[in-house]
Amino acid sequence: MTQYPKVAMTLMVRDEVDIIAANIEHHFAQGLSPILVTDNGSVDGTREILVKYSDAGLIHLWDDPRHAKQQSEVVTAMARSACTDFGADWVCNVDADEFWFASGQATIVEALALVPESIESFAVRVRNLMGPPVESGSVLRTHEWRDERSREELLAVGLHAHPTDDRVHRARADVEVVQGNHDTNLPTAEPDDVPEEARLEVLHVPYRTWKQYRRRVETTAVAYADSGKTPSPRHHGIRDAHWNDIGELEAFFVARHPAVGDTDEPTGFVRDTRLSTSMAEIETDPRMSDAFATSISEPVRMPNEAALRAQFDKRGPLLAELAETQALLKYREQDFYATLAAKEELEASTTELQATCVRLEGELEVTRHDLQNLTHFVGNLMKNPAVRGLSAAHAALRRFRRR
């Protein structure tokens, strides 16, 4: 009988009310448990849904309302807890808009049972799942086109590459998860070392409703501004924030989606029904909540889709080319990463120096206080007649010895 591993999932989430229940239910169905969740100050109803799951004993919930790009710190803590507090064998560090699958017909838990003991972690390919652009409602049953466009096709709509691979890793008490969840400090196996039947894939749904995506772009821009950290010149969220400011983001949003007709097979996309099938299977469970029903509500197509595609055709490709050129100039002329590393090192040194100054000032204040107490004690002591007499006798003795 096959011994299946215990596979934990970590999730740091903020304002994902439209998808959070579907994410949790999907990964439950894949065998993931425990599920460790940190809410990052959600205000759209996400946390209320998480509380219901927590009260039912289905997830373990923490709160970290800071908006300082501290994902690495928070997810690392959860991943370590999965090992030390829950006895997990493997950990999947998941984003709210990611749906993990085994590459074959097995569940994730069944696939990971086939990984050789020598492997500590391995890469998990991530691909965007697309469909017709939607104004409101859910896309989880209608987005059935996996984005396999070429680099040139992506650049034309303002994207420089497909999403970065994720990592699945053994549960370790000393694991460190990097910002973005895409890597850890554990050694990564070569792709050919992972058996084909053990490999995992992620279907990523970053473009859901237009309103949700615009809010996400705005939130990302504010979070980076507040954190003081410098995003990459190619950070698509920051680039999209600029296009939002000049009134072009909605056209880019529509242009990134395939123009799906009744019989068309859009160029650069591959039909993939795994997510819609998962949602349909979960929907039949009689215990499903209202929150899950919201996650699969009927989508409303963009009423101005044709006009927005025409708007993009006029200006979008030029804006995308200009943005990519500007990014390349920053990389080449300013040595972006070296400059960023030097800046971060200086900030870290300054922070350490400030902490040292605060510590020394505190110690000096304690010393001053002790000295004042000692002076006060000696003053009171010298007022005592017996002490004064003893002091006078001692002085007389010293004078006698000098003679």
Side-chain angles (χ1 to χ4, degrees):
M1 183 176 179
T2 304
Q3 182 68 38
Y4 293 122
K6 187 174 186 178
V7 184
M9 171 178 132
T10 73
L11 178 65
M12 184 178 180
V13 59
R14 177 186 178 190
D15 291 341
E16 302 280 6
V17 69
D18 65 308
I19 203 171
I20 186 62
N23 181 289
I24 291 173
E25 295 294 346
H26 167 76
H27 291 105
F28 271 140
Q30 289 288 319
L32 273 59
S33 181
I35 292 181
L36 287 65
V37 185
T38 297
D39 183 73
N40 187 214
S42 295
V43 295
D44 69 342
T46 297
R47 190 180 183 282
E48 288 74 9
I49 294 173
L50 294 174
V51 168
K52 291 180 179 179
Y53 277 103
S54 178
D55 289 345
L58 299 175
I59 68 171
H60 303 274
L61 178 62
W62 293 269
D63 287 289
D64 186 338
R66 296 174 296 158
H67 294 155
K69 307 302 288 183
Q70 75 278 17
Q71 183 186 41
S72 173
E73 170 195 337
V74 171
V75 176
T76 292
M78 288 192 289
R80 291 179 176 181
S81 177
C83 173
T84 58
D85 299 326
F86 297 96
D89 299 301
W90 287 92
V91 180
C92 301
N93 300 305
V94 179
D95 289 339
D97 55 5
E98 292 182 342
F99 293 81
W100 290 47
F101 292 86
S103 57
Q105 298 299 314
T107 65
I108 292 172
V109 171
E110 292 168 342
L112 290 177
L114 305 175
V115 179
E117 288 292 331
S118 59
I119 292 179
E120 289 283 297
S121 75
F122 61 90
V124 179
R125 194 181 85 139
V126 182
R127 281 294 181 269
N128 289 336
L129 195 65
M130 311 288 283
V134 169
E135 184 177 63
S136 61
S138 171
V139 301
L140 299 186
R141 290 191 298 180
T142 60
H143 274 34
E144 295 183 334
W145 295 97
R146 192 176 70 245
D147 192 349
E148 300 288 355
R149 284 176 288 187
S150 68
R151 182 174 181 275
E152 290 71 23
E153 290 171 319
L154 292 175
L155 288 173
V157 291
L159 300 171
H160 71 274
H162 290 291
T164 305
D165 288 349
D166 282 340
R167 294 287 186 278
V168 59
H169 63 85
R170 300 271 183 187
R172 295 288 183 261
D174 60 349
V175 69
E176 294 181 7
V177 182
V178 303
Q179 186 75 10
N181 291 350
H182 298 298
D183 207 352
T184 73
N185 63 332
L186 300 178
T188 300
E190 293 296 327
D192 290 343
D193 292 338
V194 182
E196 185 173 350
E197 63 272 18
R199 296 173 188 172
L200 306 181
E201 297 177 345
V202 173
L203 296 181
H204 183 220
V205 193
Y207 307 110
R208 304 196 298 273
T209 71
W210 157 239
K211 294 177 181 177
Q212 175 272 333
Y213 187 69
R214 180 176 59 185
R215 183 177 68 251
R216 179 176 176 178
V217 168
E218 292 169 348
T219 298
T220 299
V222 171
Y224 263 109
D226 291 346
S227 72
K229 295 182 179 180
T230 304
S232 162
R234 276 179 166 166
H235 192 296
H236 64 83
I238 301 302
R239 190 179 291 184
D240 282 358
H242 168 68
W243 288 328
N244 188 41
D245 291 341
I246 63 174
E248 297 291 340
L249 181 61
E250 190 174 10
F252 271 92
F253 174 81
V254 168
R256 288 172 183 170
H257 289 74
V260 181
D262 294 334
T263 59
D264 295 338
E265 182 167 325
T267 302
F269 294 86
V270 175
R271 189 73 177 268
D272 191 326
T273 62
R274 285 179 292 175
L275 182 56
S276 59
T277 299
S278 174
M279 295 298 101
E281 291 174 349
I282 294 170
E283 187 180 11
T284 62
D285 190 329
R287 72 171 180 82
M288 278 305 104
S289 64
D290 292 341
F292 179 79
T294 299
S295 295
I296 56 171
S297 61
E298 287 298 319
V300 177
R301 294 282 295 266
M302 301 281 287
N304 53 345
E305 178 181 344
L308 288 167
R309 289 190 185 278
Q311 176 182 332
F312 179 84
D313 289 342
K314 290 180 180 178
R315 297 187 289 270
L318 180 60
L319 289 171
E321 183 178 0
L322 177 61
E324 182 64 13
T325 301
Q326 290 172 336
L328 290 175
L329 287 174
K330 287 184 179 180
Y331 280 118
R332 293 172 182 172
E333 294 180 1
Q334 299 179 13
D335 197 7
F336 175 79
Y337 283 115
T339 303
L340 178 58
K343 175 177 176 287
E344 291 177 345
E345 183 178 357
L346 178 61
E347 289 175 348
S349 299
T350 301
T351 301
E352 183 178 355
L353 180 60
Q354 289 172 340
T356 301
C357 289
V358 170
R359 178 177 58 80
L360 291 176
E361 287 176 0
E363 293 176 357
L364 180 59
E365 183 60 30
V366 170
T367 302
R368 286 174 181 160
H369 182 70
D370 290 345
L371 183 59
Q372 288 175 352
N373 288 340
L374 181 60
T375 302
H376 181 69
F377 173 76
V378 171
N380 289 336
L381 189 63
M382 292 304 296
K383 294 177 183 179
N384 187 293
V387 173
R388 292 174 64 184
L390 183 61
S391 178
H394 180 67
L397 181 61
R398 290 179 64 188
R399 288 194 299 272
F400 176 77
R401 287 177 176 173
R402 286 185 189 143
R403 294 177 185 170

